[in-house]
Amino acid sequence: MHDGSTLYISVPTLPTSHSEEELKPTFIALEWPSGTQKWTQTVDNEYPYQPIVDENSLYTLGYNATITVLDTGSGEITDSIDLGYGWLDRGIHHGERLLGSADSQIYALSTESHTLDWEFESDREFVGGPAASGNTLVFATQYGGLIAIDTEDGSLTWKRSSIMGSRTSLSSPMIHDGSIFISSGSQLGSFSLTDGSTNWTIPLGGDTTLSPTLTDQGIVVCTDNQVYCHAGDSGERKWESELPGQPMSSGVGTPGAVFIPTKRNRIYKLDTQSGGVDDFIEAEAGADFYSLSVLGDHLFYSEKSTGIIYHT
């Protein structure tokens, strides 16, 4: 995660004795572009998700449903907010709120006061991370459901119990130009942000739970070892490309290119116009890649052996 001037990463801190069972994460802040370490801080959140950053604070999410708040300048812990029982899933910073889920609950936390603005309870557990646009927050639920919440007061806007089959596992949603894009099983679908109605669904050549990626040429989604690009408005397939390795996570789109990490320890660069493989980055010592992000004309990635490095 980055805020334009600082990179933030988390690494597990291994137990120092057999009596310690939890892997408490340590957060590291690195200056951009020098890579100089600014601070480190270890928190109690077990098995953390990607942190969320606003202007002054870094919010950690973890298994114990507690948000630990760090000052982005010093790394000091400024607050700890207990939301109750549950696995606090990936969240987002949207407007003046931090929005996230734990099991079947959605929480909206004020980033100014660190108090709960509202809480919403669903009849199904949420899966993956949320997406937001305007006053609408969208989550996928178990058994192929989709739900939209008003971000101002937490009221239900609309709900669909099954959008692409009740036995499917949905990816995290992606919102663009008034539509929700989501992949499930061997399908890619587009749905109205206004009421959840189906715009189109397209069969893919393999199974996927990876979220779609927005590029300058359309919506890109990865299956077993295939990459597909579809027009956002019609669903028309623009191209498909085969990769030598299975994608490990969703791609990162940049003007003219999409970068996709695979299990063969490489990040492939695909041309968004044709789907052709332009280049690849190979991990050192055969390590697996983890998260990817883009800042300006630099691609950032992390791997087991070297931490964070970058390429222009």
Side-chain angles (χ1 to χ4, degrees), residues 135-168:
N135 289 342
T136 304
L137 175 72
V138 177
F139 261 104
T141 65
Q142 281 187 335
Y143 313 115
L146 203 58
I147 192 169
I149 308 296
D150 189 300
T151 59
E152 292 300 312
D153 58 13
S155 60
L156 178 67
T157 303
W158 53 260
K159 179 175 73 171
R160 291 194 59 182
S161 298
S162 178
I163 58 172
M164 290 189 285
S166 61
R167 296 184 179 181
T168 57

Side-chain angles (χ1 to χ4, degrees), residues 199-218:
N199 297 327
W200 50 260
T201 59
I202 298 291
L204 302 171
D207 289 337
T208 183
T209 56
L210 300 178
S211 300
T213 299
L214 177 65
T215 73
D216 56 353
Q217 295 297 316

Side-chain angles (χ1 to χ4, degrees), residues 281-292:
I281 302 167
E282 190 159 15
E284 297 182 15
D288 289 332
F289 287 110
Y290 286 87
S291 59
L292 302 181

Side-chain angles (χ1 to χ4, degrees), residues 120 127 134 177 196 199-200 205 207 277:
F120 177 89
V127 295
D177 200 21
N199 297 327
W200 50 260
D207 289 337
V277 177

Side-chain angles (χ1 to χ4, degrees), residues 43-155:
V43 300
D44 288 334
N45 300 67
E46 186 181 355
Y47 302 110
Y49 283 99
Q50 180 171 297
I52 301 170
V53 179
D54 66 13
E55 185 177 355
N56 300 307
S57 300
L58 181 145
Y59 303 86
T60 72
L61 311 178
Y63 179 78
N64 54 0
T66 299
I67 297 174
T68 303
V69 186
L70 308 182
D71 180 88
T72 54
S74 64
E76 293 182 2
I77 296 175
T78 60
D79 206 350
S80 181
I81 306 141
D82 185 3
L83 298 179
Y85 177 80
W87 186 303
L88 187 62
D89 210 332
R90 290 162 288 182
I92 57 174
H93 175 246
H94 184 68
E96 301 301 320
R97 295 178 178 88
L98 186 74
L99 304 167
S101 69
D103 297 333
S104 59
Q105 306 285 122
I106 296 177
Y107 298 98
L109 180 75
S110 167
T111 54
E112 181 178 352
S113 64
H114 295 169
T115 57
L116 279 176
D117 279 352
W118 52 260
E119 182 179 342
F120 177 89
E121 184 172 4
S122 169
D123 57 352
R124 294 182 182 178
E125 290 189 11
F126 297 101
V127 295
S133 178
N135 289 342
T136 304
L137 175 72
V138 177
F139 261 104
T141 65
Q142 281 187 335
Y143 313 115
L146 203 58
I147 192 169
I149 308 296
D150 189 300
T151 59
E152 292 300 312
D153 58 13
S155 60

Side-chain angles (χ1 to χ4, degrees), residues 274-308:
S274 65
V277 177
D278 277 351
D279 200 359
F280 65 85
I281 302 167
E282 190 159 15
E284 297 182 15
D288 289 332
F289 287 110
Y290 286 87
S291 59
L292 302 181
S293 63
V294 171
L295 175 58
D297 60 353
H298 291 79
L299 174 71
F300 293 86
Y301 59 86
S302 58
E303 55 172 272
K304 285 183 180 178
S305 61
T306 59
I308 281 203

